[in-house]
Amino acid sequence: MNSFANHDDDALVTQARSGDQAAFGELVRRHQDAVFRVVRRTSRVDADRAEDLAQETFLRAYQALDRFRGDGAFLHWLFRIATNLTINRVTTVAARAERRSMSLDAPVRSMDGEKPMDPADERAAAPDARMEQSELSVALGEALDRLPEEFRAAVVLRDVEGMEYDSIAAALEVPIGTVRSRLHRGREALREIVTRIYGVPALEAGGDGGVR
Amino acid sequence: MTPTNDMNPMDDLTPLLHDLIDGRLPPDESRALEERIAADDDLRRRYAELRSIVSGLREFRNERAPAGFSDRVLREIAKVDEDRAPAARASAPLRLVSRYGSLAAACVAVLTVGILLSSRFDDRGSWSTLEAPRSAAEEGAVERTYVKGDAAAPNDEVSARARDLRLEPGASDAESNEIAEAETETKEDQFDSGYAKAARVRQEAPSRPGEGLVTGGSAPTEPSDESERSAGPVAPVARAKGVEPDEAGRREQLESKDAGESGAAVAAKLRDGSADDDDAAEGADDGADGGPPPTRSRLVELLQRLTEGDLPAVEAPAISDGKAEPPLRSEVGRASGGAKKQGEGAPEADVLFAVVRVTPRVAGEAGKAERSDEDVPPWEDLLANVSYRRLNSEELAARLPPDGRALAAQVVGGAADRLRVLEIDEVDLTRLLGNAAAAGLSLDGLDSVPGVAALADAPSPGLVSGAPESRAPEEEAIDPGRVTAAGPTSLPVTPPSPDLSKSKDRSKRGAGERAKEGADKAAPGESQPASPPRRILIVLWDRR
């Protein structure tokens, strides 16, 4: 039985600060999936590298536990570390240059990631021009990689992790209005990319999954 | 904002669509917008697309961290704790110095100034030296030195209220006397012993009438010699007849023993030179304190020594957290030859070793890209489209002398985020150099590997390639042991090899074949290394 089951994050942080590695281990187990997702989706790296970055996120958090003020959720603090890590370290000069000149017409790798494809060919190859939702997710993953990192972080934190605007603003250290702007523009860019590649029917087929 | 029919749905209502999706609109605005969406086909389609996007993104919530992730994190944390414990102990004094350094420096400065100032005041608070009045009194050879205050000076005795007894070298020092008088009030106790001592000295000294004038509050007589007045506080020393300065100092030192050691007496003692030996001894003690702080240069030094096999097994690297460390100096990142035979626990004969510092190139340097510190150094940038084999700590240890193996594990494990230990051949090293150039990074230390300078001069295969095009994954899978970083497609990349089968089994072929491949990859007319491509073990060091 997990001895930390009844402990909230703040209690675990307190214990971890006093040197209890097991308490920090529980924090890792609780939040590893979310941190991994955020790193994976905001950093444009493969899964192996994302694991390295997620690991480094926890290491940094462990080393900086004394600086966690507890005025927000521990997970959101982790997100802040993760996004800073991915935006500042992983993003390269060349990648930024590429994104600055991002073209929606640029070829996008196909879902197996092996060769460029033509949107029309892809639609023709689809059996009934319909996509499963999981395929839409793959396409979205590709499209996410094309977004500027600022937009990507806002979209991931909101639409993947379900964070509120104010928490995103705290994590990204920007005003809420900036979060709103980045989120909207990021979604619009995603819609544009996915629509061009997969076509409107694909998106409509994806459904909304009860989004509200 | 309430939508109206005048609005252009695509331009004006889009933000509201996002707000509607996020549930951030008031109920009445939501209803109005939904009615508008229902009535407008374009708007309805846009809304549906956005909802699909958001819905699709939420599927990512099913992603999970890889199995065993938390265990690996905890192992790393345990390792960090182990590394930090000795480093913390070793650097505790340094931390104290860094934390309270400015305070300590201020205290030292205040003390130094205090000692210096007190050395310039005589026992009565006048801006003078200690020796002259007293020596003059002893010798009875005082010229124009006046004592004023409530003092009675019969021929054979001197009695004075110490606080009011003042010696001054001349009327020109009247102003400084006023200041000194005020200070004397606060230093009364300190100087009392000195006053009494001076009084005793005067009592014992044979005085000549007219030369040592003791008055009770009378105005000082102006010195007749202007040059004497201008001589200022030190003039009395020079004017003391028949008393050599060092002799006077010795007397002062003797007197201070029974008069108590005021700051002035200590200063006099120091001036006398008798404290030189003690002082020197203290300096020697200071110099013996502590060893070099744990820095990255220390780590690099250890890495170098690893290759030379002269590192004791018990020596552990001290890796601090890196925040306050000085940057690596380029001179410590150089290659050492690994010309030892395999089987002796030494590097292979054809494996060279280099410790390379990755830094941003100097901004504004001609022909080089500019980088700011925050850009340094993304490994993906450097290693994009470069084939290499990344060594973990065990693999590095296997190539090093036995004495260095345990250390290698600590070195690589303790600085995993800042090190990349790669085995790379010269052809891909050329790509690496090209990537570094494109990314505005400088690789310091690599040029000390024999032959690398020629590689650096030659254009990178990636740089001379045609249109930027990503290398297909099957090209990148060179062999099971080699990996290739998938980098941004905008980086200079290598064009696909015409014969993929060659690259798939590159490591299994001989050095000659690899050399030929290297020549094939380069543009015609480019300089090529004279020898077959060598494998080079490089430790890329993130300078952050």
Side-chain angles (χ1 to χ4, degrees):
Chain A
M1 176 181 170
N2 187 346
S3 60
F4 296 111
N6 296 326
H7 291 56
D8 62 16
D9 282 1
D10 289 342
L12 291 173
V13 168
T14 302
Q15 286 186 246
R17 276 177 178 159
S18 63
D20 188 345
Q21 284 191 4
F24 191 78
E26 175 64 16
L27 288 168
V28 174
R29 277 184 284 276
R30 285 185 187 182
H31 302 304
Q32 59 180 348
D33 294 334
V35 169
F36 178 78
R37 281 193 300 266
V38 167
V39 168
R40 173 85 174 90
R41 293 300 167 188
T42 58
S43 64
R44 300 199 337 165
V45 296
D46 59 20
D48 289 341
R49 178 61 177 145
E51 183 181 350
D52 289 345
L53 287 171
Q55 184 170 296
E56 189 170 347
T57 299
F58 281 109
L59 281 176
R60 288 191 173 201
Y62 180 74
Q63 292 171 326
L65 265 183
D66 289 340
R67 296 202 289 274
F68 173 60
R69 296 189 299 269
D71 52 359
F74 179 71
L75 177 60
H76 295 170
W77 185 63
L78 287 175
F79 285 162
R80 183 173 181 172
I81 296 174
T83 51
N84 283 336
L85 192 65
T86 55
I87 289 175
N88 294 338
R89 181 173 288 191
V90 174
T91 301
T92 65
V93 172
R96 277 200 289 270
E98 178 196 11
R99 281 191 291 277
R100 277 195 292 270
S101 60
M102 179 184 71
S103 167
L104 295 178
D105 296 325
V108 179
R109 281 181 295 167
S110 64
M111 284 179 287
D112 57 8
E114 289 192 358
K115 57 184 178 182
M117 64 180 182
D118 178 76
D121 293 343
E122 176 65 19
R123 285 194 297 273
D128 56 359
R130 291 176 59 89
M131 296 176 58
E132 298 296 329
Q133 183 72 9
S134 59
E135 291 177 308
L136 174 61
S137 294
V138 173
L140 280 171
E142 296 282 351
L144 264 179
D145 283 351
R146 291 174 168 273
L147 291 186
E149 64 263 21
E150 299 88 1
F151 295 176
R152 193 164 58 239
V155 167
V156 168
L157 292 178
R158 171 64 194 169
D159 290 336
V160 178
E161 297 305 322
M163 288 174 67
E164 294 299 329
Y165 281 30
D166 54 352
S167 298
I168 298 172
L172 299 180
E173 298 175 289
V174 296
I176 289 182
T178 305
V179 171
R180 181 173 180 265
S181 168
R182 289 180 180 179
L183 180 61
H184 294 183
R185 293 172 65 185
R187 283 174 180 166
E188 286 298 325
L190 287 177
R191 187 194 64 79
E192 184 78 9
I193 295 170
V194 174
T195 301
R196 287 195 179 212
I197 295 174
Y198 298 102
V200 175
L203 272 180
E204 289 176 342
D208 59 23
V211 172
R212 267 302 285 273
Chain B
M1 180 174 68
T2 303
T4 68
N5 288 334
D6 296 334
M7 289 182 174
N8 179 343
M10 294 304 115
D11 296 332
D12 299 325
L13 292 183
T14 297
L16 294 178
L17 294 180
H18 293 281
D19 287 339
L20 182 63
I21 289 173
D22 289 336
R24 292 177 59 85
L25 286 180
D28 53 340
E29 289 190 21
S30 294
R31 276 194 302 275
L33 183 57
E34 284 169 345
E35 289 171 4
R36 179 67 189 271
I37 290 170
D40 188 317
D41 287 345
D42 290 339
L43 203 54
R44 189 169 60 250
R45 186 169 59 252
R46 171 72 66 92
Y47 183 54
E49 290 170 0
L50 286 174
R51 288 169 66 107
S52 294
I53 292 292
V54 173
S55 174
L57 288 169
R58 289 188 179 176
E59 279 208 353
F60 292 147
R61 289 185 189 177
N62 298 324
E63 284 186 334
R64 297 284 178 261
F69 174 82
S70 60
D71 294 336
R72 287 192 287 277
V73 170
L74 292 180
R75 276 199 298 272
E76 286 298 316
I77 286 174
K79 200 181 297 180
V80 167
D81 277 349
E82 288 173 9
D83 290 343
R84 275 202 307 196
R89 280 196 297 273
S91 62
L94 291 175
R95 281 204 309 274
L96 283 175
V97 169
S98 63
R99 184 174 299 174
Y100 302 110
S102 56
L103 181 61
C107 288
V108 169
V110 167
L111 283 175
T112 304
V113 169
I115 289 172
L116 289 175
L117 285 178
S118 63
S119 73
R120 306 305 293 172
F121 281 98
D122 61 23
D123 287 349
R124 288 146 299 279
S126 295
W127 181 258
S128 180
T129 58
L130 292 170
E131 298 87 352
R134 193 168 301 117
S135 302
E138 284 176 332
E139 297 296 324
V142 175
E143 290 181 356
R144 298 183 185 86
T145 298
Y146 304 94
V147 179
K148 70 177 182 179
D150 295 335
N155 288 337
D156 298 32
E157 62 182 274
V158 173
S159 62
R161 281 168 45 194
R163 73 176 65 181
D164 298 322
L165 183 63
R166 296 175 55 199
L167 266 176
E168 62 181 22
S172 61
D173 289 328
E175 289 184 2
S176 63
N177 286 341
E178 294 300 322
I179 298 171
E181 194 169 32
E183 292 180 353
T184 303
E185 293 297 325
T186 62
K187 299 178 180 177
E188 191 173 315
D189 294 339
Q190 179 183 352
F191 285 107
D192 270 351
S193 60
Y195 288 40
K197 179 174 58 183
R200 283 201 308 275
V201 168
R202 290 189 189 91
Q203 271 188 306
E204 295 163 1
S207 61
R208 286 184 290 178
E211 290 191 328
L213 184 60
V214 181
T215 65
S218 60
T221 304
E222 285 289 331
S224 59
D225 188 347
E226 188 65 29
S227 64
E228 288 175 358
R229 191 187 312 169
S230 64
V234 296
V237 175
R239 291 199 298 265
K241 293 178 180 176
V243 179
E244 294 299 323
D246 53 354
E247 184 184 351
R250 279 195 296 276
R251 286 176 183 162
E252 167 63 24
Q253 187 184 357
L254 289 172
E255 290 162 3
S256 69
K257 287 180 179 175
D258 55 297
E261 296 222 336
S262 65
V266 173
K269 184 178 173 182
L270 291 173
R271 279 199 308 276
D272 182 50
S274 61
D276 285 353
D277 292 343
D278 293 341
D279 198 33
E282 288 175 8
D285 289 344
D286 290 344
D289 283 342
T295 61
R296 292 179 184 175
S297 57
R298 172 67 174 150
L299 178 56
V300 172
E301 176 197 333
L302 294 173
L303 283 167
Q304 284 187 255
R305 291 176 60 191
L306 279 174
T307 67
E308 295 158 4
D310 65 347
L311 199 65
V314 296
E315 191 164 9
I319 306 171
S320 57
D321 62 8
K323 288 180 180 174
E325 290 174 323
L328 277 180
R329 291 172 301 173
S330 60
E331 60 263 30
V332 300
R334 59 179 184 272
S336 63
K340 297 179 182 177
K341 291 180 181 178
Q342 207 169 8
E344 297 176 356
E348 297 174 25
D350 61 342
V351 175
L352 297 177
F353 185 93
V355 178
V356 179
R357 174 194 179 200
V358 182
T359 62
R361 289 192 166 175
V362 178
E365 196 172 341
K368 294 178 178 178
E370 293 186 8
R371 281 180 80 95
S372 63
D373 281 351
E374 67 179 4
D375 295 322
V376 177
W379 300 118
E380 288 78 9
D381 225 358
L382 271 178
L383 300 175
N385 301 292
V386 174
S387 295
Y388 58 86
R389 186 173 189 279
R390 182 176 175 185
L391 275 64
N392 59 29
S393 57
E394 293 174 357
E395 292 167 324
L396 174 63
R399 294 171 180 273
L400 296 173
D403 284 345
R405 291 179 182 174
L407 177 61
Q410 295 179 53
V411 168
V412 177
D417 60 325
R418 286 176 267 145
L419 285 177
R420 286 293 182 274
V421 183
L422 311 174
E423 183 183 317
I424 188 171
D425 71 20
E426 287 175 310
V427 175
D428 284 298
L429 184 57
T430 312
R431 290 195 186 98
L432 180 65
L433 292 168
N435 285 348
L441 294 170
S442 175
L443 304 181
D444 299 330
L446 196 57
D447 54 353
S448 58
V449 177
V452 167
L455 290 174
D457 292 339
S460 157
L463 290 173
V464 299
S465 65
E469 184 180 1
S470 291
R471 202 158 42 164
E474 57 266 28
E475 295 172 67
E476 297 170 358
I478 290 172
D479 68 43
R482 300 174 68 86
V483 295
T484 302
T489 55
S490 64
L491 277 178
V493 295
T494 305
S497 168
D499 184 358
L500 298 180
S501 63
K502 285 183 181 178
S503 59
K504 283 182 178 176
D505 197 24
R506 204 160 75 177
S507 67
K508 297 178 182 176
R509 288 176 283 121
E513 287 176 297
R514 282 188 276 120
K516 182 176 183 304
E517 179 188 341
D520 290 342
K521 285 182 176 181
E526 292 170 1
S527 61
Q528 289 296 313
S531 57
R534 299 163 299 174
R535 283 176 295 148
I536 301 171
L537 190 64
I538 60 174
V539 177
L540 292 173
W541 184 272
D542 172 355
R543 62 148 289 214
R544 286 166 299 181

PDB file of all heavy atoms in Angstrom, chain B residues 8 48 100 126 147 217 221 263 286 346 348 366 386 391 405 426 459 484 493-494 498 512 522:
ATOM      1  N   ASN B   8     -17.821  40.520 -39.627  1.00  0.00           N
ATOM      2  CA  ASN B   8     -17.301  39.496 -40.514  1.00  0.00           C
ATOM      3  C   ASN B   8     -16.972  38.286 -39.666  1.00  0.00           C
ATOM      4  O   ASN B   8     -16.112  38.356 -38.799  1.00  0.00           O
ATOM      5  CB  ASN B   8     -16.031  40.019 -41.206  1.00  0.00           C
ATOM      6  CG  ASN B   8     -15.452  38.968 -42.133  1.00  0.00           C
ATOM      7  OD1 ASN B   8     -15.781  37.790 -42.050  1.00  0.00           O
ATOM      8  ND2 ASN B   8     -14.603  39.430 -43.025  1.00  0.00           N
ATOM      9  N   ALA B  48     -16.858  24.037 -35.915  1.00  0.00           N
ATOM     10  CA  ALA B  48     -16.699  22.580 -35.845  1.00  0.00           C
ATOM     11  C   ALA B  48     -15.231  22.185 -35.986  1.00  0.00           C
ATOM     12  O   ALA B  48     -14.746  21.270 -35.299  1.00  0.00           O
ATOM     13  CB  ALA B  48     -17.532  21.909 -36.951  1.00  0.00           C
ATOM     14  N   TYR B 100      29.012  35.794   2.338  1.00  0.00           N
ATOM     15  CA  TYR B 100      29.331  36.907   3.228  1.00  0.00           C
ATOM     16  C   TYR B 100      30.616  37.610   2.816  1.00  0.00           C
ATOM     17  O   TYR B 100      31.210  38.336   3.613  1.00  0.00           O
ATOM     18  CB  TYR B 100      29.458  36.393   4.663  1.00  0.00           C
ATOM     19  CG  TYR B 100      28.211  35.699   5.157  1.00  0.00           C
ATOM     20  CD1 TYR B 100      28.191  34.335   5.360  1.00  0.00           C
ATOM     21  CD2 TYR B 100      27.035  36.421   5.378  1.00  0.00           C
ATOM     22  CE1 TYR B 100      27.042  33.695   5.796  1.00  0.00           C
ATOM     23  CE2 TYR B 100      25.891  35.792   5.812  1.00  0.00           C
ATOM     24  CZ  TYR B 100      25.888  34.422   6.018  1.00  0.00           C
ATOM     25  OH  TYR B 100      24.751  33.801   6.434  1.00  0.00           O
ATOM     26  N   SER B 126      45.909  63.647  18.812  1.00  0.00           N
ATOM     27  CA  SER B 126      46.377  64.566  17.789  1.00  0.00           C
ATOM     28  C   SER B 126      46.860  63.783  16.581  1.00  0.00           C
ATOM     29  O   SER B 126      47.321  62.654  16.694  1.00  0.00           O
ATOM     30  CB  SER B 126      47.522  65.420  18.326  1.00  0.00           C
ATOM     31  OG  SER B 126      47.046  66.244  19.353  1.00  0.00           O
ATOM     32  N   VAL B 147      52.093  71.699  25.021  1.00  0.00           N
ATOM     33  CA  VAL B 147      51.066  70.937  25.694  1.00  0.00           C
ATOM     34  C   VAL B 147      50.081  71.932  26.250  1.00  0.00           C
ATOM     35  O   VAL B 147      50.466  72.895  26.907  1.00  0.00           O
ATOM     36  CB  VAL B 147      51.667  70.092  26.847  1.00  0.00           C
ATOM     37  CG1 VAL B 147      50.558  69.332  27.557  1.00  0.00           C
ATOM     38  CG2 VAL B 147      52.714  69.156  26.297  1.00  0.00           C
ATOM     39  N   GLY B 217      46.150  75.743  29.145  1.00  0.00           N
ATOM     40  CA  GLY B 217      45.149  76.376  28.304  1.00  0.00           C
ATOM     41  C   GLY B 217      45.643  77.621  27.623  1.00  0.00           C
ATOM     42  O   GLY B 217      44.848  78.372  27.074  1.00  0.00           O
ATOM     43  N   THR B 221      52.293  79.062  20.731  1.00  0.00           N
ATOM     44  CA  THR B 221      53.146  80.017  20.050  1.00  0.00           C
ATOM     45  C   THR B 221      53.379  79.549  18.631  1.00  0.00           C
ATOM     46  O   THR B 221      53.599  78.369  18.388  1.00  0.00           O
ATOM     47  CB  THR B 221      54.507  80.114  20.765  1.00  0.00           C
ATOM     48  OG1 THR B 221      54.248  80.445  22.121  1.00  0.00           O
ATOM     49  CG2 THR B 221      55.382  81.145  20.117  1.00  0.00           C
ATOM     50  N   GLY B 263      45.149  50.723  20.003  1.00  0.00           N
ATOM     51  CA  GLY B 263      45.331  50.571  18.553  1.00  0.00           C
ATOM     52  C   GLY B 263      46.591  51.262  18.094  1.00  0.00           C
ATOM     53  O   GLY B 263      47.327  50.742  17.257  1.00  0.00           O
ATOM     54  N   ASP B 286      47.620  31.736   5.997  1.00  0.00           N
ATOM     55  CA  ASP B 286      46.531  32.050   5.075  1.00  0.00           C
ATOM     56  C   ASP B 286      46.732  31.356   3.739  1.00  0.00           C
ATOM     57  O   ASP B 286      45.808  30.834   3.139  1.00  0.00           O
ATOM     58  CB  ASP B 286      46.450  33.565   4.848  1.00  0.00           C
ATOM     59  CG  ASP B 286      45.970  34.260   6.103  1.00  0.00           C
ATOM     60  OD1 ASP B 286      45.439  33.565   6.982  1.00  0.00           O
ATOM     61  OD2 ASP B 286      46.151  35.480   6.196  1.00  0.00           O
ATOM     62  N   ALA B 346      43.269   0.408 -22.061  1.00  0.00           N
ATOM     63  CA  ALA B 346      43.590   1.723 -22.594  1.00  0.00           C
ATOM     64  C   ALA B 346      42.761   1.983 -23.834  1.00  0.00           C
ATOM     65  O   ALA B 346      42.165   1.075 -24.396  1.00  0.00           O
ATOM     66  CB  ALA B 346      45.073   1.777 -22.947  1.00  0.00           C
ATOM     67  N   GLU B 348      41.640   2.517 -27.631  1.00  0.00           N
ATOM     68  CA  GLU B 348      42.111   1.855 -28.822  1.00  0.00           C
ATOM     69  C   GLU B 348      43.116   2.736 -29.541  1.00  0.00           C
ATOM     70  O   GLU B 348      43.123   3.950 -29.391  1.00  0.00           O
ATOM     71  CB  GLU B 348      40.925   1.560 -29.752  1.00  0.00           C
ATOM     72  CG  GLU B 348      39.923   0.602 -29.130  1.00  0.00           C
ATOM     73  CD  GLU B 348      38.717   0.451 -30.008  1.00  0.00           C
ATOM     74  OE1 GLU B 348      38.847   0.674 -31.231  1.00  0.00           O
ATOM     75  OE2 GLU B 348      37.656   0.120 -29.487  1.00  0.00           O
ATOM     76  N   ALA B 366      33.908  38.683 -37.282  1.00  0.00           N
ATOM     77  CA  ALA B 366      33.711  38.665 -38.721  1.00  0.00           C
ATOM     78  C   ALA B 366      33.445  37.252 -39.214  1.00  0.00           C
ATOM     79  O   ALA B 366      34.124  36.302 -38.858  1.00  0.00           O
ATOM     80  CB  ALA B 366      34.953  39.228 -39.407  1.00  0.00           C
ATOM     81  N   VAL B 386      24.133  14.245 -37.910  1.00  0.00           N
ATOM     82  CA  VAL B 386      25.476  13.731 -37.661  1.00  0.00           C
ATOM     83  C   VAL B 386      25.343  12.313 -37.134  1.00  0.00           C
ATOM     84  O   VAL B 386      24.559  12.053 -36.230  1.00  0.00           O
ATOM     85  CB  VAL B 386      26.219  14.603 -36.627  1.00  0.00           C
ATOM     86  CG1 VAL B 386      27.545  13.978 -36.256  1.00  0.00           C
ATOM     87  CG2 VAL B 386      26.420  16.005 -37.172  1.00  0.00           C
ATOM     88  N   LEU B 391      28.223   7.433 -26.073  1.00  0.00           N
ATOM     89  CA  LEU B 391      28.693   6.504 -25.062  1.00  0.00           C
ATOM     90  C   LEU B 391      28.091   6.864 -23.713  1.00  0.00           C
ATOM     91  O   LEU B 391      28.050   8.030 -23.334  1.00  0.00           O
ATOM     92  CB  LEU B 391      30.223   6.546 -24.952  1.00  0.00           C
ATOM     93  CG  LEU B 391      31.007   5.677 -25.923  1.00  0.00           C
ATOM     94  CD1 LEU B 391      30.801   6.123 -27.349  1.00  0.00           C
ATOM     95  CD2 LEU B 391      32.481   5.676 -25.574  1.00  0.00           C
ATOM     96  N   ARG B 405      38.003   4.109 -14.462  1.00  0.00           N
ATOM     97  CA  ARG B 405      36.660   3.658 -14.828  1.00  0.00           C
ATOM     98  C   ARG B 405      35.596   4.109 -13.846  1.00  0.00           C
ATOM     99  O   ARG B 405      34.524   4.559 -14.223  1.00  0.00           O
ATOM    100  CB  ARG B 405      36.657   2.139 -14.975  1.00  0.00           C
ATOM    101  CG  ARG B 405      37.451   1.708 -16.177  1.00  0.00           C
ATOM    102  CD  ARG B 405      37.513   0.228 -16.353  1.00  0.00           C
ATOM    103  NE  ARG B 405      38.360  -0.079 -17.520  1.00  0.00           N
ATOM    104  CZ  ARG B 405      38.704  -1.284 -17.870  1.00  0.00           C
ATOM    105  NH1 ARG B 405      38.297  -2.318 -17.167  1.00  0.00           N
ATOM    106  NH2 ARG B 405      39.454  -1.478 -18.918  1.00  0.00           N
ATOM    107  N   GLU B 426      35.763  11.033 -38.707  1.00  0.00           N
ATOM    108  CA  GLU B 426      36.134  12.351 -39.204  1.00  0.00           C
ATOM    109  C   GLU B 426      35.101  12.924 -40.170  1.00  0.00           C
ATOM    110  O   GLU B 426      34.908  14.132 -40.239  1.00  0.00           O
ATOM    111  CB  GLU B 426      37.499  12.282 -39.886  1.00  0.00           C
ATOM    112  CG  GLU B 426      38.627  12.119 -38.894  1.00  0.00           C
ATOM    113  CD  GLU B 426      39.946  11.923 -39.589  1.00  0.00           C
ATOM    114  OE1 GLU B 426      40.022  11.063 -40.480  1.00  0.00           O
ATOM    115  OE2 GLU B 426      40.886  12.641 -39.253  1.00  0.00           O
ATOM    116  N   PRO B 459      34.872  22.630 -46.159  1.00  0.00           N
ATOM    117  CA  PRO B 459      33.445  22.824 -45.987  1.00  0.00           C
ATOM    118  C   PRO B 459      32.773  21.546 -45.516  1.00  0.00           C
ATOM    119  O   PRO B 459      33.158  20.449 -45.918  1.00  0.00           O
ATOM    120  CB  PRO B 459      32.958  23.219 -47.380  1.00  0.00           C
ATOM    121  CG  PRO B 459      34.173  23.683 -48.098  1.00  0.00           C
ATOM    122  CD  PRO B 459      35.313  22.908 -47.514  1.00  0.00           C
ATOM    123  N   THR B 484      21.576   8.759 -34.835  1.00  0.00           N
ATOM    124  CA  THR B 484      21.641  10.063 -35.481  1.00  0.00           C
ATOM    125  C   THR B 484      20.577  10.941 -34.891  1.00  0.00           C
ATOM    126  O   THR B 484      19.441  10.528 -34.737  1.00  0.00           O
ATOM    127  CB  THR B 484      21.410   9.909 -36.992  1.00  0.00           C
ATOM    128  OG1 THR B 484      22.395   9.035 -37.496  1.00  0.00           O
ATOM    129  CG2 THR B 484      21.504  11.249 -37.692  1.00  0.00           C
ATOM    130  N   VAL B 493      22.211  20.052 -44.007  1.00  0.00           N
ATOM    131  CA  VAL B 493      22.123  18.601 -43.889  1.00  0.00           C
ATOM    132  C   VAL B 493      22.875  17.958 -45.033  1.00  0.00           C
ATOM    133  O   VAL B 493      23.271  18.596 -46.004  1.00  0.00           O
ATOM    134  CB  VAL B 493      20.654  18.123 -43.924  1.00  0.00           C
ATOM    135  CG1 VAL B 493      19.902  18.630 -42.723  1.00  0.00           C
ATOM    136  CG2 VAL B 493      19.972  18.607 -45.190  1.00  0.00           C
ATOM    137  N   THR B 494      23.030  16.687 -44.897  1.00  0.00           N
ATOM    138  CA  THR B 494      23.752  15.927 -45.894  1.00  0.00           C
ATOM    139  C   THR B 494      22.776  15.322 -46.882  1.00  0.00           C
ATOM    140  O   THR B 494      21.749  14.780 -46.480  1.00  0.00           O
ATOM    141  CB  THR B 494      24.539  14.808 -45.202  1.00  0.00           C
ATOM    142  OG1 THR B 494      25.347  15.410 -44.214  1.00  0.00           O
ATOM    143  CG2 THR B 494      25.373  14.050 -46.192  1.00  0.00           C
ATOM    144  N   PRO B 498      23.710   7.870 -52.334  1.00  0.00           N
ATOM    145  CA  PRO B 498      23.119   7.140 -53.445  1.00  0.00           C
ATOM    146  C   PRO B 498      22.968   5.657 -53.128  1.00  0.00           C
ATOM    147  O   PRO B 498      22.083   4.998 -53.647  1.00  0.00           O
ATOM    148  CB  PRO B 498      24.099   7.377 -54.592  1.00  0.00           C
ATOM    149  CG  PRO B 498      25.345   7.900 -53.967  1.00  0.00           C
ATOM    150  CD  PRO B 498      24.969   8.517 -52.669  1.00  0.00           C
ATOM    151  N   GLY B 512      39.705   1.982 -44.657  1.00  0.00           N
ATOM    152  CA  GLY B 512      39.907   2.446 -46.023  1.00  0.00           C
ATOM    153  C   GLY B 512      38.598   2.725 -46.728  1.00  0.00           C
ATOM    154  O   GLY B 512      38.437   3.729 -47.420  1.00  0.00           O
ATOM    155  N   ALA B 522      32.361  14.338 -49.811  1.00  0.00           N
ATOM    156  CA  ALA B 522      32.826  15.711 -49.932  1.00  0.00           C
ATOM    157  C   ALA B 522      32.721  16.192 -51.363  1.00  0.00           C
ATOM    158  O   ALA B 522      32.735  15.419 -52.301  1.00  0.00           O
ATOM    159  CB  ALA B 522      34.273  15.807 -49.461  1.00  0.00           C
TER     160      ALA B 522
END
